[in-house]
Amino acid sequence: MDAVYINPFINALVHAMETMIGISPERGTPYLKREHATQGDVSAIIGFAGPNVTGSVALSLPTLVALKVYSLMMGEKVYRITSDVQDVVGELANIVAGGAKTELSTRNLGFNISIPTVVVGPGHTLGHKGDVPVIVVPFGFGKHRFMMEVSMRLK
Amino acid sequence: MKILVVDDSTTMRRIIISSLKLAGFPDVVEAGDGEEALKAMKGISLVLTDWNMPVMNGLELAQRLREDSANDGIPIIMITSEGAKGEVMEALASGVNDYIVKPFTRDTLAEKVRLIARTHEVRP
């Protein structure tokens, strides 16, 4: 998948985290996902489809990262994955999908996005379309690491 | 001024409501989707709504509110991640008065609400 299609998702995630929680995450080197399971404990996935494109984007966070993001966004500490923590991860994925949509629509690649689905538990799998390659983009801030997954097919 | 905040995300509602209270708008009620919002309109002076929600989304909510003359003069601000030009135009055409794209800062939200309250001479 061409970087030109991945960059809008990366830009949207960085902008969302800078604006909503005051953190500029550093991006690692993207790679093709080969394993089935995700590396995070809390993931949010959003499907999208338009006249010229279809796919999905997911954020997958280890428990400690999800708790950190929640505390930074909401201004309060939590010590376990509550429904509110899941809600924050889902909302972050929603903002990423919306931001990428805004940028991609200028390239005639507009799409509609679904309501986010949040999955919790170690070693879970995400429902990207089976026949479309998934690109994993690692991110980090401080000692924390998490992943964004983008799967996208042009029609 | 009584403000209705409509969003299916409970945490996003909390962020919006706390921002409004910090900005000097303490009278806020909330709803989790468009249908709940329609039932909560009594005494409302301003509606802040998300777009992408289950049951009834923000676009349908704006259209339903504009169909009822009882809601004449009540401004609607859409707060959504959907910032593409086509979406903004569609929202404005459905009766939305202003638009805030997520992610937003608390200051942006407060300024928009103050501005639209002034512009529309929102009932107290």
Side-chain angles (χ1 to χ4, degrees), chain A residues 15-16 19-20 70 73-74 76 84-85 87-88 91 94-95 97-99 101-102 105 111-116, chain B residues 7-15 50 52-54 80-87 101-106:
Chain A
H15 179 52
T19 306
M20 302 294 281
Y70 176 88
M73 194 181 284
M74 303 305 294
E76 64 186 30
D84 279 352
V85 175
D87 192 61
V88 159
E91 189 58 32
N94 181 48
I95 293 172
K101 170 183 176 173
T102 302
S105 66
F111 49 73
N112 289 320
I113 61 179
S114 71
I115 304 275
Chain B
D7 199 309
D8 58 320
S9 162
T10 53
T11 51
M12 190 50 65
R13 289 204 304 271
R14 282 170 57 195
I15 289 171
D50 184 22
N52 201 14
M53 296 181 289
T80 174
S81 64
E82 309 262 346
K85 189 178 174 187
E87 270 67 30
V101 178
K102 298 176 189 172
F104 57 85
T105 65
R106 290 175 187 270

Side-chain angles (χ1 to χ4, degrees), chain B residues 5-109:
Chain B
V5 174
V6 191
D7 199 309
D8 58 320
S9 162
T10 53
T11 51
M12 190 50 65
R13 289 204 304 271
R14 282 170 57 195
I15 289 171
I16 294 169
I17 290 169
S18 69
S19 301
L20 290 171
K21 290 184 174 176
L22 276 172
F25 301 102
D27 195 3
V28 186
V29 292
E30 57 188 295
D33 60 58
E35 272 193 11
E36 279 185 24
L38 289 174
K39 295 172 187 163
M41 283 302 296
K42 192 175 181 184
I44 295 298
S45 305
L46 170 65
V47 176
L48 297 176
T49 183
D50 184 22
W51 180 321
N52 201 14
M53 296 181 289
V55 187
M56 182 190 290
N57 68 32
L59 204 65
E60 294 171 81
L61 170 63
Q63 289 164 346
R64 292 282 297 273
L65 290 175
R66 291 300 176 236
E67 286 167 6
D68 186 348
S69 61
N71 301 314
D72 286 354
I74 299 177
I76 304 169
I77 300 177
M78 190 160 268
I79 306 179
T80 174
S81 64
E82 309 262 346
K85 189 178 174 187
E87 270 67 30
V88 176
M89 299 303 289
E90 192 178 356
L92 294 175
S94 75
V96 166
N97 299 86
D98 209 339
Y99 207 88
I100 298 174
V101 178
K102 298 176 189 172
F104 57 85
T105 65
R106 290 175 187 270
D107 288 344
T108 302
L109 177 66

